[in-house]
Amino acid sequence: MPIVMESAKKRVIIPRGEVADIVARLAAEITRDYKGKNPLLIGILKGSFVFMADLVRCLDFPLEVDFIRLSSYGSSTETTGSVKVEQPLRSKVRGRHVLVVEDIVDTGITVSFLMAYLKKKKPASVRLCALLDKPSRRRTPVTIDYLGATVPDRFIVGYGIDCAEEYRNLPDICVLEE
Ligand code: PRP
C-alpha cells in the first residue's frame, strides 16, 4: 500500500442508503427502456462489479450479463491515455441491445474506447449507464444515458472503486482526505 494513503481519512459523500435509492431509480429507467429486449449488460472490471451486482437484482426481466476488463491507469492515479483490453468479452454483441455499466466516468477515456470498440461489433443499440460522473476531469466527450450522481474532483473510493486496489469493499461512496 502506498505510504501516502496510510494517513488518508475517508469521508462519506453518498451513504449506502442513498446509493440504493440511486440504483433503484436507474433500474426503473432501464426497465422502462429495455424490458422485453433481452439486453446484454456489459460491466467494466474491476470497478463496476458491486454496482452491477446491485443493479441487476433490481431488474426483473430477462437479460444477460458479461464483463470486460479494461485498464488505462496501471498502478498510477493518472490515466496513461491508452486503454488496454486485459480480459475480453465472451458474449456475441452483434444484433444485441447493449448497455454498458460503469462505476465512474472521469476523463472519459475508458468508456469512449469501449463504446467505439462495441459499435464496431454492430450491436442493435449501445448505451451507457454510469453510477458516478466527474465531469470536471473530462478529456473526451461522453454521453451518459443513465446517470446516478455527479461527484466533485476528489479521490473517490468505495462501492467497487479503489485506490491502489484498496477500499473497493466500502459500502458507502467516500472521498479520501489527507
Ligand atoms: C477506473 C474506473 C473507470 C475508469 C474511469 O478504472 O473504474 O473504469 O477508471 O476513468 P476514465 O474516465 O479516466 O477513463 P481503472 O482503470 O482504475 O480500473 P479498475 O476498474 O480495475 O479499478
Side-chain angles (χ1 to χ4, degrees), residues 39-102:
L40 172 62
L41 273 60
I42 297 177
I44 306 178
L45 292 174
K46 300 181 201 171
S48 72
F49 78 105
V50 177
F51 178 38
M52 177 70 98
D54 282 348
L55 182 66
V56 293
R57 285 178 292 169
C58 295
L59 299 176
D60 187 18
F61 59 88
L63 55 81
E64 290 179 36
V65 176
D66 200 355
F67 290 95
I68 186 168
R69 186 159 173 207
L70 300 177
S71 169
S72 68
Y73 283 79
S75 56
S76 163
T77 56
E78 278 304 316
T79 177
T80 60
S82 93
V83 180
K84 277 198 276 186
V85 179
E86 305 273 5
Q87 189 178 305
L89 289 172
R90 299 281 174 144
S91 314
K92 295 246 183 318
V93 164
R94 192 181 188 92
R96 301 297 304 271
H97 291 288
V98 173
L99 181 63
V100 172
V101 174
E102 175 62 305

Side-chain angles (χ1 to χ4, degrees), residues 45-47 72-73 102-104 106-110 162 168:
L45 292 174
K46 300 181 201 171
S72 68
Y73 283 79
E102 175 62 305
D103 48 300
I104 186 165
D106 192 312
T107 64
I109 288 170
T110 302
D162 75 313
R168 293 193 199 272

